[in-house]
Amino acid sequence: DETAKAEIIMLTKAVYARDESILEAYTKGRQASLDKFATIYERLGPRFDHFFFESEVWERGKELVEQHVGDIFTQSAGAVVYEGEQDGLHTRVFINSAGVTTYEAKDLGLAYAKRERWEFDESISVTAVEQDQYFKVVFAALGKIDDWFIGKMKNIPHGMMQLADGKMSSRKGKVISGEDLLNEARDTALEKMKDNESIAGDVETADQVGVAAIKYLVLKQSIGKNITYDLERALSFEGDSGPYLQYTTARINSVLEKARAAGVEAGVANVPEVPYEIEKLIYRYPEVVREAAAQYEPHTLVTYLTELAGTFNTFYAYEKIADASDEYAPYKAAVAVAVRQTLKNGLWVLAIKAPERM
């Protein structure tokens, strides 16, 4: 719709010009968006130290580009571009023919704003895989403006979530909002929990289970790969899912309660000569976390925690813990305590809560 397009361009220019006739509506609209995001963040659990707004960085970005027209940037058909071919990349527009800064120029201003707030060793952007080449061009231009940034800027591309029959697309009408995704996961978890008297109707636990299902679904994939949305599988309590890890943690709570009721307290006074296989897994935890962090690959930790939970369930199937007549029962209980703590630690790293009961 050419009429709508013209109006959008007019409104955009008015926002950049800080036109008083539109500024109040713009500010209210932005705050409404931020408030809505806050309700979703509260469920998901992230914490942000600071928000950088485009309105705070675009002018700096435009100045940087204009200062380097001729030596770094080039005039082209009324726009200002960076010719990325010189770096084996591609050309991108930093100021368009209407004189409006693009995201490229804004990201230049953002880099300086970040450095002024925190003189960082490394700045990491996390965006869709489609943006990876975009950031290579932006970082190349930024490094030529100021070599301080060279080697300090990194983009980690993530895949896209897709439905079983293909990619979600707002243009095609095949899209699920983040909030709908969370609500569907919570409601499905509630339905699965209804037969368990201790947690039936517990909306808070259901929400934690739903969030765990979605986070696990995303994090189990290596970085850059697409995620297929399959909620039924994601909410399974039988392995390869976030709820399975939560369930194993809650199950250990129950096992230890039974052990105490039978007079068995966790202790290491009497140690078996041969270590259990699961002890070797527990020992690896710090190494796995270091590797996942160093490689920016959370799926490494997800895979490890799933293996740990499965190994514990096998361990419990063959070893008696709540048996006071077994001389090694206290040690087995201590192993269970260590597994529970390791699972909780790993889930915390992944920002997944571990309910006490499930």
Side-chain angles (χ1 to χ4, degrees), residues 72-74 81-87 90-92 144:
I72 296 175
F73 300 95
T74 305
V81 305
Y82 179 77
E83 296 178 339
E85 285 77 9
Q86 60 191 300
D87 306 306
H90 63 282
T91 295
R92 295 199 71 92
K144 289 184 179 177

Side-chain angles (χ1 to χ4, degrees), residues 276-352:
Y276 299 108
E277 283 299 312
I278 197 166
E279 293 180 78
K280 299 174 186 177
L281 267 180
I282 296 169
Y283 181 79
R284 285 182 47 218
Y285 173 73
E287 171 194 336
V288 172
V289 174
R290 281 194 295 269
E291 181 186 350
Q295 301 298 324
Y296 306 105
E297 289 285 8
H299 82 275
T300 304
L301 177 56
V302 171
T303 301
Y304 165 83
L305 292 176
T306 305
E307 183 182 359
L308 180 65
T311 304
F312 172 79
N313 285 314
T314 300
F315 169 80
Y316 180 60
Y318 286 96
E319 302 293 341
K320 295 179 180 179
I321 296 176
D323 184 357
S325 66
D326 184 341
E327 62 175 321
Y328 296 125
Y331 187 78
K332 294 173 186 177
V335 169
V337 170
V339 172
R340 178 181 63 182
Q341 190 61 54
T342 305
L343 283 170
K344 281 188 173 183
N345 290 351
L347 288 171
W348 180 86
V349 170
L350 299 174
I352 293 175

Side-chain angles (χ1 to χ4, degrees), residues 44-348:
L44 290 174
R47 177 179 61 84
F48 298 96
D49 294 314
H50 186 73
F51 288 93
F52 293 94
F53 294 104
E54 289 179 45
S55 58
E56 299 167 353
V57 301
W58 74 267
E59 287 179 304
R60 180 69 173 278
K62 189 174 186 180
E63 289 171 5
L64 288 166
V65 173
E66 290 174 340
Q67 287 168 7
H68 290 280
V69 172
D71 60 334
I72 296 175
F73 300 95
T74 305
Q75 292 274 4
S76 175
V80 181
V81 305
Y82 179 77
E83 296 178 339
E85 285 77 9
Q86 60 191 300
D87 306 306
L89 302 170
H90 63 282
T91 295
R92 295 199 71 92
V93 176
F94 279 67
I95 301 176
N96 66 25
S97 58
V100 175
T101 53
T102 60
Y103 281 117
E104 289 85 341
K106 293 171 191 172
D107 274 324
L108 297 179
L110 175 60
Y112 277 85
K114 286 181 176 180
R115 186 174 73 174
E116 287 163 6
R117 190 169 184 86
W118 305 285
E119 193 164 321
F120 54 81
D121 297 303
E122 190 171 36
S123 175
I124 301 171
S125 302
V126 183
T127 61
V129 70
E130 288 95 332
Q131 302 299 324
D132 199 39
Q133 293 302 311
Y134 160 92
F135 274 104
K136 286 179 180 178
V137 175
V138 171
F139 295 159
L142 181 63
K144 289 184 179 177
I145 294 171
D146 189 339
D147 61 10
W148 183 90
F149 290 101
I150 295 175
K152 291 184 170 71
M153 309 298 291
K154 185 178 183 68
N155 177 59
I156 298 179
H158 61 76
M160 302 296 285
M161 186 170 283
Q162 58 189 19
L163 300 170
D165 61 348
K167 184 177 176 180
M168 293 185 192
S169 169
S170 57
R171 297 185 182 205
K172 295 178 181 177
K174 293 168 59 180
V175 64
I176 300 173
S177 76
E179 189 174 32
D180 286 344
L181 203 68
L182 291 171
N183 290 341
E184 182 182 19
R186 178 201 60 206
D187 294 344
T188 305
L190 266 176
E191 181 66 22
K192 286 178 174 286
M193 290 160 45
K194 69 180 182 180
D195 295 328
N196 186 329
E197 291 183 6
S198 64
I199 56 171
D202 186 340
V203 176
E204 182 179 356
T205 296
D207 203 48
Q208 289 177 7
V209 171
V211 168
I214 293 170
K215 285 188 175 182
Y216 185 100
L217 187 68
V218 172
L219 295 173
K220 74 174 183 178
Q221 297 288 348
S222 60
I223 291 295
K225 290 189 176 179
N226 288 343
I227 303 107
T228 300
Y229 178 63
D230 184 343
L231 186 59
E232 191 60 35
R233 184 175 176 183
L235 279 167
S236 171
F237 285 75
E238 298 178 358
D240 196 26
S241 74
Y244 173 67
L245 299 181
Q246 291 176 313
Y247 172 73
T248 302
T249 307
R251 186 183 193 187
I252 295 174
N253 290 336
S254 177
V255 168
L256 292 172
E257 283 179 11
K258 290 178 182 176
R260 282 191 292 271
V264 176
E265 291 292 339
V268 293
N270 195 10
V271 182
E273 288 186 15
V274 180
Y276 299 108
E277 283 299 312
I278 197 166
E279 293 180 78
K280 299 174 186 177
L281 267 180
I282 296 169
Y283 181 79
R284 285 182 47 218
Y285 173 73
E287 171 194 336
V288 172
V289 174
R290 281 194 295 269
E291 181 186 350
Q295 301 298 324
Y296 306 105
E297 289 285 8
H299 82 275
T300 304
L301 177 56
V302 171
T303 301
Y304 165 83
L305 292 176
T306 305
E307 183 182 359
L308 180 65
T311 304
F312 172 79
N313 285 314
T314 300
F315 169 80
Y316 180 60
Y318 286 96
E319 302 293 341
K320 295 179 180 179
I321 296 176
D323 184 357
S325 66
D326 184 341
E327 62 175 321
Y328 296 125
Y331 187 78
K332 294 173 186 177
V335 169
V337 170
V339 172
R340 178 181 63 182
Q341 190 61 54
T342 305
L343 283 170
K344 281 188 173 183
N345 290 351
L347 288 171
W348 180 86

